[in-house]
Amino acid sequence: MPRVIEFLYHTDTPILRHVLGGRAGLPLSEYLADWRARLPALFLGLAAVTAFLLLLTHGGVRSLIDRALGPPPAPGAMAPRAGMTCPRWLVVNATIAAMLGAQLLEVFVPGDRWPFSPYAMYASEHGPSFSWRGVYGVSDGREFRLRDPRAIAPIDPIRLSYAFADRHRREWTVVPPQDSMLRAVASLYERTRLNGDHAGLPLGAIRLYENTWLLRRDLANVEAPARHVLLHEVRLDE
Amino acid sequence: MSEPRGVTAWLGARVHEAWFAPGDARDLGVVRALLAGMLLILSFWYQRSFELWGTLQPWVWDPVWLYRATPPGAPGAPILLAVLWTWRVALLLLAVGLWTRASAIVAALTGLLVLGLPQNLGKVNHDYGLVMVCLMVLAVSQAGDAWSLDRLRHIVRDAEGPFRREEARRGPEYRWPLVLMQLMGTLVLFTAGLAKLQSPGAMAWVMSDNLQNTFVRHFYTHDPPLRIGLWLASVPVLSRALAGGALLLELGAPLLLLLRGRLRAVVTTMVMLMLIAFGLVLGVLFLHFVLALGILFLPWRLLGARLAAQLPVRSFTLIYDGSCRLCRKTVGVIAAMDLMERVEVRDALRDWPGLSGRFPSLTQAQCLESMHVVRSDGRTYAGFAAYRALAWAIPGWWPLLPVLYLPGVPQVGQMVYERIAARRLEQGCPVPVSAGTEMTGRETRS
């Protein structure tokens, strides 16, 4: 499979690229790593299905299930196509196949096909330190993190952080420079401020930082990260 | 016991049964009404600033596959507002079951924009995935065959022949949509468990400091409403037990499909509580997803029946003129809305021999001239008062109760009733047995 991925990565057939989900915007190593990460689940899934089918070949197992669920319908008791018309039967089965197929595709094939997106529910491994992109405003020489959702509505601070952190991952749009992204955030802030949605002062500058924290349960360093690296700044008062 | 058969035939029969065994239309109807109602109510909070997405420049645009063929950026605010309100109206119609198929299709299509648009703006929100899938399934299903105004319209249209209380509608069309939605819900949880097995691995996820770090980390990036996460992080054994329990519940979620009755309700509640607790501790509550799980898996009709049995609502005997088409329509609607099964419907013509013995103070002529209702304690109502008495027994009419007791309303109501009753006589529903009566619109005790 890695060879297939490599071949597809380098191939230039438009249809194939479309099937693959767009331009190969990431290095090949990322696609291979993603495949390796999904391999255990694929193996586990196939092994579980095979084991289940093998178990079912044993009549005793089937009897056990019958005892738990009640006897299965007799062959003659099942109406052909469950009593539905042929077109309706096709629609119903196509719906079931499409929904389940899309959900299973999400498990085994990289991508995020909303509304079938895989939701990992905090599966990522978190260590005692982490880095996070944060947007800061500067008013009267005082710097503050934009954490109030009302100040940058409809964007929220989490979405904002992802928007900056994942810029290089965007495969389907021309990614605007950080400068114009920060200006856009500043204009959101100014609009909500003028609307009276928050009591913030006008911004003199807006900054993007890469923060690294060492986690503390007393939260004493929330506003004082161990590393606070300025990535970009836009002066608004010039 | 089942007859011996090959594994393929056995598996085929089991799969067929799982998807297409006759289901109850009321189960699907309840899910439709609750799901659409929930989305409608939450839309006034979650989509309260929806039109603002239209003011954003495409600087944050990162389309999911559904939107890759569209121009970057959201449509303008007026278009978004129009779509949002179309969605809300469709959800309202879907919840009450009026033009159900059409409203389900419109709700699903507009939902792709209302729920789907924010997915293109920086981050995919997994809260909306399951409810969007459910809307798509409902659009293909026959979800309006029970618990719906469409059903009442159908009863009114087909009020031919003597009244018969409807049998519960059953069929495969009421099972597969429910099974599909439930399966999709459990797959979301199962894939979350699977993701933890893939990376970092079950042992690492459960036994390391991972969950403790996650609890603390969210105080740096989110605003958790409860500070209990900091305490949990200080008790490693507890954090690990929570992680293990969560992983077990996620991986075991598909088993929910096999559970029935009280056990299913208990496990569903546990999963919901787990998701709510994590939401409060981490500051990320997936309310749509949690509520959808509850709607799909809790035995609502059973809970409703238990609740109804506890309510101090009396039962009634409704006596009507079975030869009158208008009366049959009315009684059909009343019977369909009698969710607590407190109303016994009797025809004054066909059932009179039995009724005369039970209610000696009533005459057949009285009962043929106006609808009569006898409460379980013997109190008798006729005309408007009969409707008002029935309103206590029919949950769908409860919101009307305060209005029905306002001064002047009984007089106007009785006038309207008498006018309609008179028109019924003019329109070919003559009273079969002639007899005078003075009972309309008043209460008596038999």
Side-chain angles (χ1 to χ4, degrees), chain A residues 9-40:
Chain A
Y9 184 82
H10 291 300
T11 195
D12 215 13
T13 314
I15 296 174
L16 210 55
R17 282 179 169 249
H18 186 75
V19 171
L20 279 172
R23 293 179 291 115
L26 306 175
L28 175 63
S29 56
E30 288 221 19
Y31 293 102
L32 291 173
D34 202 54
W35 163 250
R36 279 194 292 274
R38 284 162 197 270
L39 206 54

Side-chain angles (χ1 to χ4, degrees), chain B residues 177-421:
Chain B
L178 209 48
V179 173
L180 181 56
M181 290 188 283
Q182 289 171 339
L183 185 56
M184 296 299 282
T186 60
L187 278 177
V188 171
L189 290 165
F190 182 70
T191 49
L194 213 55
K196 293 174 181 84
L197 295 187
Q198 284 177 22
S199 167
M203 284 308 284
W205 198 79
V206 175
M207 298 309 290
S208 69
D209 295 339
N210 186 50
L211 194 58
Q212 291 158 262
N213 291 334
T214 306
F215 285 147
V216 180
R217 181 186 154 141
H218 271 242
F219 283 90
Y220 288 73
T221 54
H222 298 67
D223 283 313
L226 300 180
R227 291 180 73 86
I228 195 171
L230 296 173
W231 176 75
L232 287 171
S234 67
V235 190
V237 177
L238 202 54
S239 292
R240 285 166 195 164
L242 276 174
L247 186 60
L248 272 180
L249 278 178
E250 285 171 2
L251 290 174
L255 294 175
L256 263 176
L257 291 163
L258 300 177
L259 302 180
R260 292 286 175 271
R262 187 175 294 181
L263 191 57
R264 177 188 267 202
V266 169
V267 177
T268 304
T269 310
M270 279 171 64
V271 173
M272 289 173 72
L273 287 176
M274 175 191 82
L275 291 169
I276 291 170
F278 271 106
L280 294 175
V281 168
L282 296 171
V284 187
L285 180 57
F286 290 120
L287 194 57
H288 290 81
F289 180 68
V290 174
L291 292 178
L293 279 184
I295 288 169
L296 291 174
F297 283 101
L298 290 177
W300 291 105
R301 280 201 307 115
L302 187 71
L303 293 173
R306 292 232 173 112
L307 181 68
Q310 303 297 319
L311 288 177
V313 175
R314 295 172 193 270
S315 50
F316 296 85
T317 304
L318 186 162
I319 307 166
Y320 76 107
D321 175 4
S323 68
C324 165
R325 190 159 179 264
L326 180 65
C327 309
R328 285 199 304 272
K329 285 182 181 181
T330 310
V331 166
V333 170
I334 289 171
M337 297 184 79
D338 175 29
L339 301 177
M340 298 197 298
E341 299 186 354
R342 295 288 212 276
V343 184
E344 177 194 356
V345 178
R346 290 287 165 207
D347 182 345
L349 285 173
R350 273 191 317 160
D351 304 326
W352 188 250
L355 289 171
S356 59
R358 281 172 66 189
F359 309 114
S361 66
L362 294 178
T363 67
Q364 190 180 29
Q366 286 173 326
C367 296
L368 290 171
E369 188 162 304
S370 62
M371 186 178 85
H372 277 63
V373 160
V374 186
R375 209 166 67 179
S376 52
D377 63 354
R379 191 178 286 263
T380 303
Y381 306 86
F384 171 81
Y387 279 98
R388 195 171 65 175
L390 283 176
W392 287 96
I394 297 174
W397 294 7
W398 287 347
L400 291 176
L401 270 170
V403 180
L404 296 178
Y405 282 89
L406 284 178
V409 172
Q411 288 75 14
V412 174
Q414 183 59 29
M415 211 166 66
V416 171
Y417 179 87
E418 283 170 3
R419 186 159 292 182
I420 292 172

Side-chain angles (χ1 to χ4, degrees), chain B residues 20-36:
Chain B
F20 300 112
D24 192 315
R26 293 172 297 180
D27 288 330
L28 186 59
V30 170
V31 164
R32 183 210 76 238
L34 290 177
L35 207 64

